[in-house]
């Protein structure tokens, strides 16, 4: 038996057969399409419907965009050039570009100043946004930026912003030196230095040292106004929101209830009513004879609005932390300020990032509401001076499309950044 | 040889107010209260000074005076001789109307888009992602204005419907989209129509009762009753029968072209349509994300467990996934409803006469009673918000996971 067996094996394959390719319907594009587009009959119907929708969208917009007119001085000229064909009259954008961005009152020879401030915004934001990849010394520029931007956009002497900057630095030093005697004393001394600096800055507001041509707040407009309101209010409302959230979590009933009432009141009313307050009511509550810039009143109200929402987001982050983290802070012997700063807030803020970004994006979109109280932001400019002019009366799509596109780019960019940041800060290695 | 003694009872010293944690919180609260009272007193003092300087006082008597302006779309009887109070009530009703309509349609858009975003069809998924991103990232004010512009500047004037080969035609001969608004047939409630309406409402109750019975039967005996066709039948058959028994009491008044405008029918103004549609499509994008998050929040193990019990896909959806997903979806959904109500205040941008436009707009400008008007306005929105969040708290407590 054994030898027949030996003879029966005439040939033993010692290499593997080459893999034969999978069937044509199971590879590449065909498989992908079968799985993702035509898996079942209802699925195929959906695909066809989706293709139809996309076709109609493109058929409606593509000729309009590709056939657009970029050089004309009025809508009539546009129509003459088009001669009945479909096409957008994008000339309104090139004709009114500066008005859309800067408003119609900002002196045209000074456009470089807000434009420069806008470019520097990226340099100032980068060290905060990409803190892992950029040296932390660049944060110094971020600290200087608000004062620089104020000086560039509003003009006037450099002294008030400079004094304020020095004041903030001095307040920080005072806080750091006095902090050894207690957190509260540190804060109080810092605040004291700051108030002195503000008074000093007020004294020098009329000086002419290194003075740029001053521009009044009421001359701000266009997308610049949206950017100013958005960045200022978001950056102010985050610290206030943190304070409100901590206040709401506090054990002290009076402080807790002050925060609860403030937050719930602000969240209960629409932003428009708060803008009405800024526009017509706030003046009644100020000392007689004081005139207060509308833009500052609006900033105050929008900041109050945003900080209430941010406070709720951060409260969620604080509540999501396990109880053990608080106890760990206590058992290490840290006082309240230390435990919050070193243990609780870094974790709570990390959890709250998506929510904070949501509020920030929502707030930036809400800055268009100022057009309702007759401020000329981007939407106000389009609805007011541009569409009302005889040259461009009737160019709706191009203008509103442009406004929508600008907001989309900013908001979508910010939300993409926040998703990247979330992955970046993700520390649970699973 | 040490003896443990009780720590000596310290007598109270003023410095303990700042250094002793037992007393420090009282100090802080006292300071906070004083600062708050100080600020309020300062603002109140300024208010009194300013009002005296302007020769004004705080009074709500203006609410009884005739308003003197017209409102184009009202739900209750209103003329320009009606009082400011009536105008405010008209505004409140209009706010509630547009908020209700937008809530319903936004939910429909949102649920469809949210479910389709999870479809295994790549193209549909991407299309819905495009919808959500496009509408979430552009201010709702811009959408409202764009749709209002379509309604007023792009749609044909009523005279375009005139003539043999008119430029525009009515859809199904009954709905006309014009730049003066949309004209739809208006139901006329004849005598006996109430019976039909009551029958219909009873049918709705009947559908719920039937479904509850079917579910109970399933749980008790395992017998499956069909729910789809019977529900439809219960919903419509009795009402239709009653409609003919009562001699067709409900008829439709169709809009007809006459003179320079349409006559008859129900005219829905462009501002209402713009606000309604823009709010629902904008909020729909947010609701879509909530729905998607809610469905994704139910772990895959639940689906697999249900499938291993032998449930069919539709029953898995109805009995396992949805009850758990709804617990996640509903709280953010209700806060989206709240957002719709608050965003409806943007009506003032397109001239829809909601409470912000009547009380906070024309009444405020005519009477100059800024403080009173804005205060009433805030009070109204606050009441709605607090009411809805109270309902939400009750709901959250009811559906909370019953844990040990």
């Amino acid at each position: 038996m054994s030898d027949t067996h030996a003879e029966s094996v005439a040939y033993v394959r010692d290499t593997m057969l080459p893999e034969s390719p999978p069937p044509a319907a199971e590879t590449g594009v065909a498989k992908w399409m079968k799985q993702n587009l035509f898996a079942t009959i209802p699925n195929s119907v959906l695909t066809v419907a989706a293709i139809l929708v996309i076709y109609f969208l493109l058929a409606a917009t593509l000729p309009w965009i590709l056939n657009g007119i970029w050089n004309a001085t009025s809508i009539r000229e546009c129509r003459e050039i088009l001669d009945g064909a479909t096409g957008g009259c994008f000339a309104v954008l090139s004709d009114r570009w500066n008005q859309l961005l800067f408003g119609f009152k900002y002196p045209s020879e000074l456009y470089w100043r807000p434009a420069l401030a806008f470019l520097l915004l990226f340099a100032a934001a980068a060290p905060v946004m990409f803190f892992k990849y950029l040296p932390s010394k660049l944060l110094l520029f971020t600290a200087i930026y608000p004062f620089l931007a104020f000086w560039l956009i509003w003009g006037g002497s450099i002294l008030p912003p400079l004094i304020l900057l020095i004041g903030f630095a001095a307040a920080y030093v005072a806080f750091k030196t006095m902090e050894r005697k207690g957190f509260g004393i540190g804060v109080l001394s810092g605040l004291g230095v700051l108030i002195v600096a503000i008074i000093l800055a007020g004294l020098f507001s009329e000086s002419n040292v290194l003075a740029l041509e001053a521009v009044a707040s009421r001359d701000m407009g266009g997308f610049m106004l949206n950017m100013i309101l958005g960045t200022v209010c978001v950056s102010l409302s985050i610290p206030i929101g943190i304070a409100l959230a901590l206040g709401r979590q506090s054990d002290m009933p009076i402080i807790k209830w002050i925060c609860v009432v403030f937050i719930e009141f602000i969240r209960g009313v629409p932003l428009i009513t708060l803008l009405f307050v800024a526009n017509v009511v706030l003046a009644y509550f100020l000392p007689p004879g004081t005139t207060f810039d509308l833009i500052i009143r609006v900033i105050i109200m929008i900041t109050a609005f945003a900080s209430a929402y941010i406070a709720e987001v951060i409260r969620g982050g604080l509540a999501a932390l396990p109880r053990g983290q608080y106890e760990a802070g206590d058992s290490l012997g840290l006082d309240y300020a230390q435990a919050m700063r070193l243990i609780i807030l870094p974790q709570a803020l990390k959890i709250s990032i998506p929510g904070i970004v949501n509020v920030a994006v929502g707030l930036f979109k809400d800055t268009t509401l100022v057009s309702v109280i007759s401020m000329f932001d981007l939407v106000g400019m389009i609805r007011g001076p541009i569409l009302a002019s005889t040259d461009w009366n009737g160019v709706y799509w191009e203008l509103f499309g442009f406004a929508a596109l600008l907001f989309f780019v900013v908001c979508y960019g910010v939300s993409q950044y926040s998703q990247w940041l979330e992955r970046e800060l993700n520390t649970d290695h699973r | 040889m040490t003896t443990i003694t009780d720590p000596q009872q310290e007598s109270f010293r003023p410095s303990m107010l700042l250094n002793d944690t037992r007393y420090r919180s009282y100090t802080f609260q006292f300071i906070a209260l004083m600062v708050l009272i100080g600020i309020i007193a300062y603002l109140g003092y300024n208010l009194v000074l300013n009002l005296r300087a302007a020769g004004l006082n705080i009074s709500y008597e203006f609410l009884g005076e005739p308003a003197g302006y017209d409102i184009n779309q009202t739900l209750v009887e209103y003329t320009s001789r009606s009082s400011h109070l009536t105008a405010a009530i008209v505004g409140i009703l209009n706010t509630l109307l547009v908020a209700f309509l937008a809530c319903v349609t936004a939910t429909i858009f949102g649920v469809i888009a949210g479910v389709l975003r999870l479809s295994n069809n790549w193209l549909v998924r991407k299309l819905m992602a495009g919808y959500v991103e496009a509408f979430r990232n552009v201010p709702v004010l811009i959408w409202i204005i764009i749709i209002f512009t379509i309604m007023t500047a792009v749609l044909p004037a009523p005279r375009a419907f005139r003539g043999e080969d008119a430029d525009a035609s009515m859809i199904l001969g009954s709905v006309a989209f014009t730049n003066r608004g949309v004209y739809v047939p208006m139901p006329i409630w004849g005598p006996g129509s109430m019976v039909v309406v009551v029958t219909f409402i009873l049918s709705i109750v009947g559908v719920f009762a039937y479904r509850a019975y079917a579910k109970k039967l399933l749980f008790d005996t395992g017998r499956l009753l069909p729910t789809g066709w019977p529900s439809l039948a219960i919903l419509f058959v009795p009402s239709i029968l009653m409609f003919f028994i009562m001699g067709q009491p409900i008829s439709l008044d169709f809009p007809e072209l006459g003179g320079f405008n349409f006559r008859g029918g129900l005219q829905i103004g462009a501002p209402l349509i713009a606000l309604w549609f823009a709010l629902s499509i904008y909020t729909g994008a947010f609701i879509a994300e909530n729905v998607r998050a809610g469905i994704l929040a139910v772990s895959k193990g639940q689906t697999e467990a249900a499938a291993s019990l032998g449930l069919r896909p539709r029953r898995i959806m109805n009995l396992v996934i949805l009850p758990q997903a709804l617990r996640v979806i509903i709280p953010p959904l209700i806060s989206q409803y709240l957002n719709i109500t608050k965003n409806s205040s943007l009506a003032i941008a397109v001239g829809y006469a909601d409470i912000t436009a009547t009380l906070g707009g024309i009444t405020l400008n005519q009477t100059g009673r800024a403080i009173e008007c804005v205060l009433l306005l805030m009070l109204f929105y606050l009441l709605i918000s607090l009411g809805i969040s109270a309902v939400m708290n009750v709901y959250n407590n009811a559906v909370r996971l019953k844990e040990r």
Side-chain angles (χ1 to χ4, degrees):
Chain A
M1 286 292 278
S2 61
D3 43 6
T4 54
H5 181 239
E7 278 167 21
S8 70
V9 182
Y11 168 71
V12 175
R13 177 181 289 282
D14 53 2
T15 55
M16 294 284 279
L17 273 173
E19 285 178 21
S20 49
E26 291 298 320
T27 53
V29 183
K31 182 193 179 195
W32 184 87
M33 281 181 62
K34 197 180 160 200
Q35 276 190 343
N36 289 302
L37 297 180
F38 303 103
T40 57
I41 292 172
N43 219 327
S44 313
V45 173
L46 269 182
T47 305
V48 173
I51 290 174
L52 276 181
V53 168
I54 294 173
Y55 170 76
F56 281 123
L57 280 179
L58 290 183
T61 52
L62 267 190
W64 180 74
I65 292 173
L66 296 178
N67 214 6
I69 306 294
W70 288 89
N71 273 314
T73 53
S74 74
I75 186 169
R76 283 172 299 282
E77 204 181 319
C78 261
R79 284 181 182 148
E80 276 169 28
I81 299 174
L82 280 170
D83 200 22
T86 317
C89 184
F90 298 108
V92 65
L93 301 182
S94 31
D95 190 46
R96 298 294 176 102
W97 181 254
N98 287 327
Q99 286 195 357
L100 286 170
L101 292 192
F102 302 106
F104 65 113
K105 279 187 186 157
Y106 204 89
S108 56
E109 68 277 9
L110 303 180
Y111 284 155
W112 63 272
R113 279 169 26 189
L116 181 65
F118 178 67
L119 287 181
L120 289 178
L121 174 64
F122 290 100
V128 182
M129 289 172 73
F130 305 104
F131 56 92
K132 270 192 185 173
Y133 303 99
L134 291 172
S136 54
K137 276 183 187 162
L138 288 178
L139 281 173
L140 212 59
F141 179 70
T142 311
I144 297 173
Y145 177 75
F147 308 98
L148 185 64
F150 173 80
W151 183 54
L152 279 174
I153 295 175
W154 271 269
S157 164
I158 197 173
L159 278 184
L162 196 64
I163 292 172
L164 271 185
L165 175 62
I166 296 170
F168 267 97
Y172 180 71
V173 172
F175 166 71
K176 271 289 165 191
T177 46
M178 300 303 283
E179 198 194 4
R180 281 179 224 118
K181 296 188 180 168
F183 187 77
I185 299 173
V187 170
L188 279 184
S189 51
L191 275 181
V193 173
L194 203 58
I195 290 170
V196 172
I198 291 173
I199 294 170
L200 268 180
L203 288 180
F204 282 98
S205 60
E206 301 295 324
S207 78
N208 280 324
V209 185
L210 268 180
L212 292 173
E213 190 180 326
V215 182
S217 289
R218 60 179 175 278
D219 295 345
M220 310 281 156
F223 194 60
M224 179 178 75
L225 184 59
N226 294 110
M227 285 298 289
I228 292 176
L229 290 177
T231 41
V232 171
C233 296
V234 167
S235 31
L236 287 181
S237 61
I238 288 177
I240 300 177
I242 293 176
L244 282 173
L246 290 179
R248 193 168 181 173
Q249 294 284 73
S250 157
D251 300 329
M252 302 182 237
I254 294 180
I255 289 183
K256 182 180 173 181
W257 282 107
I258 293 175
C259 294
V260 168
V261 169
F262 178 82
I263 292 173
E264 292 305 325
F265 173 73
I266 297 278
R267 274 162 35 99
V269 298
L271 181 56
I272 287 223
T273 55
L274 293 179
L275 291 179
F276 281 163
V277 170
N279 196 16
V280 291
V281 178
L282 210 57
Y284 283 108
F285 291 100
L286 298 172
T290 41
T291 49
F292 221 137
D293 234 327
L294 179 59
I295 206 171
I296 294 177
R297 282 180 281 169
V298 165
I299 284 178
I300 291 174
M301 292 326 272
I302 297 185
T303 305
F305 183 76
S307 50
Y309 282 83
I310 286 186
E312 281 301 276
V313 169
I314 293 175
R315 185 171 75 108
L318 288 172
L321 279 192
R323 183 94 215 115
Q325 296 292 329
Y326 293 87
E327 290 164 355
D330 288 343
S331 67
L332 284 176
L334 302 180
D335 66 20
Y336 178 78
Q338 285 170 325
M340 282 300 146
R341 215 175 49 205
L342 300 174
I343 297 185
I344 306 298
L345 279 181
Q347 301 182 65
L349 288 182
K350 192 177 88 181
I351 303 175
S352 327
I353 286 175
I356 293 178
V357 172
N358 269 349
V359 175
V361 168
L363 172 79
F364 182 61
K365 289 186 293 178
D366 280 346
T367 56
T368 52
L369 263 60
V370 296
S371 64
V372 173
I373 54 166
S374 57
M375 285 172 88
F376 290 98
D377 74 319
L378 183 58
V379 175
M381 279 305 296
I382 292 175
R383 295 194 83 190
I386 297 181
L387 275 181
S389 71
T390 48
D391 282 350
W392 299 111
N393 189 352
V395 202
Y396 307 106
W397 296 106
E398 294 80 355
L399 287 167
F400 286 122
F402 172 72
L405 187 71
L406 263 188
F407 276 97
F408 179 82
V409 168
V410 176
C411 298
Y412 189 69
V414 170
S415 64
Q416 290 300 309
Y417 165 75
S418 103
Q419 288 179 12
W420 175 84
L421 185 65
E422 249 176 274
R423 286 195 297 276
E424 194 75 357
L425 292 179
N426 193 2
T427 46
D428 45 83
H429 305 284
R430 282 183 191 156
Chain B
M1 287 270 104
T2 52
T3 50
I4 301 169
T5 52
D6 284 342
Q8 203 177 353
Q9 282 290 322
E10 283 186 74
S11 57
F12 180 78
R13 280 173 285 109
S15 67
M16 283 166 73
L17 279 179
L18 211 56
N19 295 327
D20 193 318
T21 44
R22 282 172 298 180
Y23 304 111
R24 195 159 54 184
S25 68
Y26 293 110
T27 325
F28 281 160
Q29 294 188 62
F30 182 73
I31 295 173
L33 196 64
M34 285 301 121
V35 170
L36 185 72
I37 292 175
I39 291 174
I40 291 176
Y42 177 70
L43 294 180
Y45 176 68
N46 284 335
L47 178 66
V48 172
L49 283 189
N50 280 318
L51 285 179
R52 194 181 298 156
L56 285 169
N57 58 342
I58 300 278
S59 103
Y60 285 94
E61 276 166 19
F62 71 95
L63 283 176
E65 291 162 13
Y69 56 89
D70 282 318
I71 298 177
N72 47 22
Q73 189 139 24
T74 62
L75 291 175
V76 292
E77 200 174 315
Y78 175 85
T79 61
S80 61
R81 284 196 305 281
S82 306
S83 64
H84 283 294
L85 186 64
T86 322
I89 290 170
V90 167
I92 288 176
L93 290 176
N94 277 343
T95 296
L96 295 178
L97 171 73
V98 74
F100 173 75
L101 290 175
C103 283
V104 173
T105 39
T107 313
I108 296 172
F109 287 146
V111 169
I112 292 176
V115 171
L116 286 185
R117 267 202 90 171
L118 292 172
S119 147
N120 44 17
N121 187 321
W122 181 84
L123 203 58
V124 171
R125 219 158 54 212
K126 292 292 166 197
L127 201 62
M128 286 302 138
Y131 156 70
V132 168
E133 293 299 341
F135 279 87
R136 273 191 343 153
N137 288 317
V138 173
V140 64
L141 182 62
I142 292 184
W143 287 122
I144 292 176
I145 297 173
I146 286 181
I147 295 174
F148 183 65
T149 309
I150 298 177
M151 295 300 300
T152 52
V154 179
L155 289 180
R159 73 180 130 77
F161 290 81
R162 186 182 303 284
E164 284 297 309
D165 48 311
D167 300 332
S169 60
M170 291 163 83
I171 298 170
L172 298 174
S174 53
V175 180
F177 286 88
T178 76
N179 61 1
R180 294 194 193 176
V182 177
Y183 292 86
V184 295
M186 183 165 63
I188 296 174
W189 309 96
S193 59
M194 277 317 289
V195 181
V196 181
V197 174
V198 168
T199 314
F200 188 69
I201 292 172
L202 285 179
S203 315
I204 295 176
V205 176
V207 168
F208 279 104
Y210 175 74
R211 293 195 149 226
Y213 168 71
K215 199 169 173 182
K216 189 172 179 303
L217 199 69
L218 174 69
F219 283 7
D220 289 348
T221 67
R223 264 189 62 211
L224 262 177
L225 285 183
T227 48
W229 291 111
S231 302
L232 278 181
I234 296 174
L235 194 60
F236 289 113
V237 172
S239 309
I240 294 173
L241 280 180
M242 192 56 80
F243 178 71
F244 286 107
I245 290 171
M246 297 303 293
Q248 308 189 6
I250 305 171
S251 59
L252 288 176
D253 178 24
F254 287 96
E256 275 173 35
L257 202 57
F260 291 102
N261 211 338
F262 279 91
R263 294 222 182 95
L266 184 67
Q267 180 193 12
I268 307 176
L272 172 60
I273 301 256
L275 198 62
W276 173 16
F277 196 61
L279 281 179
S280 38
I281 205 159
Y282 174 82
T283 316
F286 286 88
I287 293 178
E289 287 297 90
N290 295 337
V291 169
R292 188 172 74 107
I295 294 177
L296 285 179
V298 181
S299 72
K300 203 163 165 47
Q302 297 285 331
T303 319
E304 291 166 352
S308 71
L309 287 176
L311 290 180
R312 300 259 181 80
R314 257 199 67 188
R315 307 217 134 247
I316 294 179
M317 199 44 146
N318 284 338
L319 298 175
V320 179
I321 310 281
L322 274 188
Q324 298 186 63
L326 282 182
R327 198 204 308 276
V328 183
I329 294 173
I330 288 197
L333 187 67
I334 293 180
S335 71
Q336 291 299 342
Y337 290 165
L338 208 53
N339 279 347
I340 288 182
T341 314
K342 285 190 278 177
N343 278 338
S344 71
S345 59
L346 289 175
I348 196 169
V350 289
Y352 176 69
D354 79 329
I355 178 80
T356 314
T358 54
L359 185 65
I362 311 175
T363 297
L364 190 155
N365 286 335
Q366 278 190 2
T367 59
R369 299 267 173 198
I371 299 172
E372 296 91 330
C373 286
V374 173
L375 212 60
L376 280 181
L377 198 59
M378 288 181 151
L379 201 65
F380 166 71
Y381 284 110
L382 259 186
L383 279 180
I384 288 191
S385 301
L386 294 181
I388 291 183
S389 43
V391 171
M392 193 156 81
N393 283 341
V394 171
Y395 171 83
N396 279 341
N397 281 334
V399 302
R400 199 178 50 198
L401 280 177
K402 307 290 187 292
E403 286 175 333
R404 276 166 292 138

